[in-house]
Amino acid sequence: MPLSDDLTRFLASVHPYDGLPEGDLAELAAGCSVVDVAAGERFFSLGDTIQFLYLLVAGEVDVRDEQDAPLSLLGPRNSFGERAILRNERASRSATALSAVTAIRIPAGVLLHLIAEHHGVAKFFDRTGRTGGTQGRARDLASLPVAELMTRDPVTCTPDATIRDAATLMQERGISSICIAQDGRFHGIATLRDLNGKVIVGGRDPMGPISGIMTQTPLTLGPKALVTDVLHLMVERGIGHVPITENAALVGIVTQTDLTRAQAMTSADLVGRVAKADDAPQMARATAEIPQLLVQLISSGSRHEVVTRLITDIADTATRRLLTLAEADLGPPPVPYLWLACGSQGRQEQTGVSDQDNCLILSDDMTEADMPYFEALARFVCDGLNTIGYVYCPGDMMATNPRWRQPLATWRSYFTGWIAKPNPEAQMLASVMFDLRPIGGDATLFDGLQQDVLKAASANSIFVAHMVSNSLKHNPPLGLLRGLATIRAGEHRNRLDMKHNGVVPITDLGRIYALQGQLTGVNTRARLEAAIETGVLSPSGGADLLDAYDLIATMRLEDQATQIKAGDAPDNYLDPATLSDFERSHLRDAFVVVKTMQSAAGSGKGALS
């Protein structure tokens, strides 16, 4: 058939195979076969052993779950079958040709070999959350591609710029070298060593051209080189700056300072600096580096729940340090208190975009005379958090609001009232407060409160029903035929909201499962795992939801890292046009899984259906 003559070229046009070396691509093509399947025929059914990954060339395939509910409608350049192969299990879904289909069959052994031998392929399939392997193993700094570490758009000047102008620019920017480029071509580099040796000591005229003292055709590397290549080059040649070029054009630079900063940039380093800070502005200098930490963690292959946990640890430390500074300023507290976080900090799921959500539980021994102290304490801490980057909560869910700064007995009455009369506000507030986590102060004030509330709430079927209904207000972005539905208008038009339509629906489901099972964990992934272990959530449904959550949360963080590397402030809006067909297909599958689990919860069948 025509495709067999051009199999290699077709594979080379599909990610991740487009990144394979020419020889490996040819070997892959030789190991594949092409199959034609008539409309109505099945590729595999539930319980089948899957021997191939199928890559669609033409036609459409209908994928359905265990309950025969439509899961995905796949078109050309999409793949299916990898789920069972990578899990080494029988098929938990079926795949049927809706029309005449032409597909490439990649044997399971060939796919597994590609994953084992090629990091790009392994990382790609890890993004679906299904390999359970390489994504959980952080790469060493030295094995990172230079493109993930280099300073992009380095400071440049033209060859005819004067030495004095170039030196002035270096001083203004606080840099130790300047690259010389013109008309898209890289000409050379001048460093402080050149200025000192050739101008100050050598007597060159500072009004002469920078081209007269620059190093022409310096040693360079490409963006696909590894950081270890930079290290070896610096050590062997005794240099401190390596320009990064591509097709003779300057695209970046790596300096010894970049390497030192990257090696020192750990969450522990930032936690240590925050913990020793004397005031909020000093903390802010440390927390300003959180975006770069996120980039490094994502680039090194850390899992999304590890990244968010490490980033949240910094916020926890900042909160405790501010509490300590507040007590030093205000004096010892008149009665015991407990500062708690809710929202993403409470769930240990903070990303590069986080506001603050917090509250205070006070000892029942407090009197009205004690309230000014805690008002001042709350203002000191919330103002400090805002200063260091955790902006004020738009909904005023903060300890500065008197409503959320109350004695323990009042907090118990809050929950009792919300459970007894689950109106819309009560549902919203209960959802937020079910994510409470102690941060600093007397933790005994929280002892028993969470368990008592969960027991009372789970026993009230009307409250549970209302909470389930409230949890379904955030819908995955699926349109007709279960395609991706982007935002239609406004600043984020044609993008997906990976927070409110991505992770939030899963966070809401996790909270419902915790309520039904009286599970005390507040982290979303931990809640899902506990729901599976305790039987609240079926093994197959739970595995699907965990896969969906891992994919959505990972893609959200990776997109934020991409924005940061481009010099933009991170947000939660993903342009699906930046994804490959394969990635869009699996992202759509993930959203369908979430929608299916929402439907099961909303139908009253329960999490086990």
Side-chain angles (χ1 to χ4, degrees):
M1 58 179 298
L3 179 64
S4 62
D5 299 329
D6 208 14
L7 187 56
T8 301
R9 191 172 69 172
F10 183 84
L11 288 168
S13 70
V14 179
H15 195 62
Y17 317 111
D18 56 353
L20 294 175
E22 186 176 336
D24 291 338
L25 187 63
E27 184 179 342
L28 169 61
C32 296
S33 58
V34 178
V35 62
D36 291 320
V37 177
E41 290 188 13
R42 285 200 169 183
F43 286 85
F44 50 80
S45 301
L46 292 175
D48 286 354
T49 299
I50 297 183
Q51 300 176 332
F52 301 98
L53 171 72
Y54 294 93
L55 173 59
L56 286 177
V57 177
E60 292 184 328
V61 171
D62 178 41
V63 179
R64 292 179 172 261
D65 64 15
E66 294 166 307
Q67 283 75 43
D68 200 36
L71 188 58
S72 190
L73 180 63
L74 304 179
R77 306 172 72 82
N78 286 302
S79 301
F80 59 98
E82 78 284 349
R83 176 189 177 88
I85 293 173
L86 299 177
R87 288 182 168 186
N88 192 28
E89 63 185 22
R90 294 182 181 275
S92 60
R93 48 192 67 180
S94 63
T96 306
L98 288 182
S99 60
V101 168
T102 298
I104 297 173
R105 298 194 307 184
I106 302 176
V110 172
L111 175 63
L112 295 175
H113 175 75
L114 284 174
I115 290 173
E117 295 297 323
H118 296 281
H119 174 76
V121 178
K123 183 178 181 180
F124 182 78
F125 280 100
D126 268 345
R127 291 191 65 173
T128 69
R130 288 161 170 79
T131 65
T134 57
Q135 188 187 53
R137 297 195 297 269
R139 289 179 285 160
D140 183 78
L141 171 66
S143 68
L144 290 178
V146 166
E148 297 182 8
L149 177 70
M150 69 183 186
T151 298
R152 298 176 183 273
D153 299 321
V155 178
T156 64
C157 66
T158 57
D160 59 356
T162 67
I163 295 173
R164 175 172 292 174
D165 287 344
T168 300
L169 188 56
M170 291 168 63
Q171 182 182 33
E172 291 175 347
R173 298 296 184 89
I175 54 178
S176 58
S177 66
I178 188 166
C179 294
I180 293 84
Q182 188 171 38
D183 298 328
R185 294 189 65 83
F186 175 59
H187 290 272
I189 186 172
T191 67
L192 289 177
R193 182 186 298 178
D194 294 320
L195 293 174
N196 182 59
K198 299 176 182 179
V199 181
I200 297 177
V201 177
R204 291 288 186 92
D205 181 4
M207 296 308 295
I210 190 68
S211 58
I213 68 166
M214 73 180 184
T215 300
Q216 298 185 36
T217 61
L219 296 169
T220 65
L221 290 172
K224 293 184 179 180
L226 301 180
V227 172
T228 188
D229 297 325
V230 175
L231 290 167
H232 291 171
L233 197 59
M234 286 182 172
V235 172
E236 181 182 352
R237 304 299 179 90
I239 57 179
H241 308 77
V242 178
I244 308 302
T245 60
E246 189 170 31
N247 299 324
L250 180 71
V251 295
I253 190 169
V254 178
T255 68
Q256 288 180 335
T257 301
D258 293 325
L259 295 175
T260 301
R261 184 185 299 115
Q263 289 171 326
M265 174 69 73
T266 65
S267 60
D269 172 62
L270 296 188
V271 163
R273 288 162 58 189
V274 168
K276 296 175 183 177
D278 294 326
D279 52 31
Q282 191 174 343
M283 288 185 212
R285 289 192 284 275
T287 56
E289 298 179 24
I290 288 177
Q292 191 56 45
L293 174 65
L294 186 149
V295 170
Q296 181 173 313
L297 291 170
I298 291 296
S299 297
S300 65
S302 299
R303 289 183 60 86
H304 70 89
E305 70 270 25
V306 174
V307 176
T308 55
R309 169 63 185 272
L310 294 178
I311 290 177
T312 304
D313 284 348
I314 299 169
D316 291 354
T317 302
T319 304
R320 285 189 287 268
R321 182 57 179 162
L322 287 168
L323 287 169
T324 298
L325 294 174
E327 290 187 21
D329 184 62
L330 301 171
V335 295
Y337 72 87
L338 178 62
W339 187 283
L340 303 97
C342 47
S344 60
Q345 184 183 359
R347 296 189 304 274
Q348 297 178 300
E349 293 167 4
Q350 288 191 314
T351 68
V353 188
S354 296
D355 59 6
Q356 56 175 292
D357 298 278
N358 45 61
C359 64
L360 268 173
I361 296 179
L362 309 177
S363 168
D364 285 333
D365 294 332
M366 65 150 292
T367 65
E368 282 301 315
D370 299 325
M371 288 305 286
Y373 176 94
F374 292 109
E375 179 181 1
L377 178 87
R379 177 58 58 193
F380 186 103
V381 176
C382 289
D383 285 351
L385 290 172
N386 183 69
T387 296
I388 66 178
Y390 304 100
V391 299
Y392 298 123
C393 173
D396 204 20
M397 301 289 292
M398 298 181 295
T400 48
N401 183 337
R403 189 179 187 185
W404 311 126
R405 188 178 67 246
Q406 293 292 331
L408 178 59
T410 301
W411 277 99
R412 287 188 176 276
S413 68
Y414 282 165
F415 281 104
T416 299
W418 295 335
I419 294 169
K421 297 180 180 179
N423 57 43
E425 183 191 37
Q427 297 166 38
M428 182 274 292
L429 293 175
S431 294
V432 173
M433 295 305 174
F434 276 147
D435 294 346
L436 285 176
R437 182 171 60 88
I439 302 297
D442 187 351
T444 62
L445 291 171
F446 197 59
D447 289 350
L449 176 62
Q450 185 184 39
Q451 291 88 342
D452 293 346
V453 168
L454 285 173
K455 183 177 180 180
S458 62
N460 188 322
S461 59
I462 296 177
F463 176 77
V464 173
H466 279 284
M467 287 292 289
V468 170
S469 176
N470 186 63
S471 73
L472 305 180
K473 292 180 179 178
H474 293 100
N475 295 310
L478 295 169
L480 294 175
L481 300 178
R482 295 182 180 262
L484 293 176
T486 59
I487 298 170
R488 294 184 179 181
E491 179 185 359
H492 305 295
R493 184 172 178 267
N494 295 329
R495 282 171 166 74
L496 301 170
D497 186 339
M498 296 295 283
K499 177 181 179 180
H500 293 102
N501 301 119
V503 296
V504 167
I506 306 173
T507 297
D508 289 343
L509 285 172
R511 190 181 297 113
I512 293 302
Y513 301 148
L515 174 61
Q516 293 173 330
Q518 299 183 40
L519 309 174
T520 56
V522 293
N523 175 265
T524 298
R525 202 175 199 285
R527 279 171 164 168
L528 298 181
E529 291 174 341
I532 297 171
E533 293 172 3
T534 57
V536 174
L537 190 56
S538 70
S540 62
D544 281 349
L545 193 54
L546 279 173
D547 276 354
Y549 181 51
D550 288 341
L551 175 62
I552 294 167
T554 297
M555 294 184 77
R556 177 194 183 198
L557 285 179
E558 288 184 344
D559 189 55
Q560 288 188 2
T562 298
Q563 294 170 6
I564 294 167
K565 287 190 287 186
D568 299 325
D571 60 30
N572 292 298
Y573 299 95
L574 170 67
D575 182 359
T578 63
L579 304 177
S580 69
D581 291 339
F582 184 95
E583 290 169 317
R584 282 195 296 273
S585 171
H586 281 287
L587 181 59
R588 182 182 61 231
D589 284 353
F591 288 140
V592 171
V593 167
V594 177
K595 185 64 177 178
T596 300
M597 298 303 288
Q598 284 185 323
S599 298
S603 67
K605 295 180 180 179
L608 287 169
S609 62

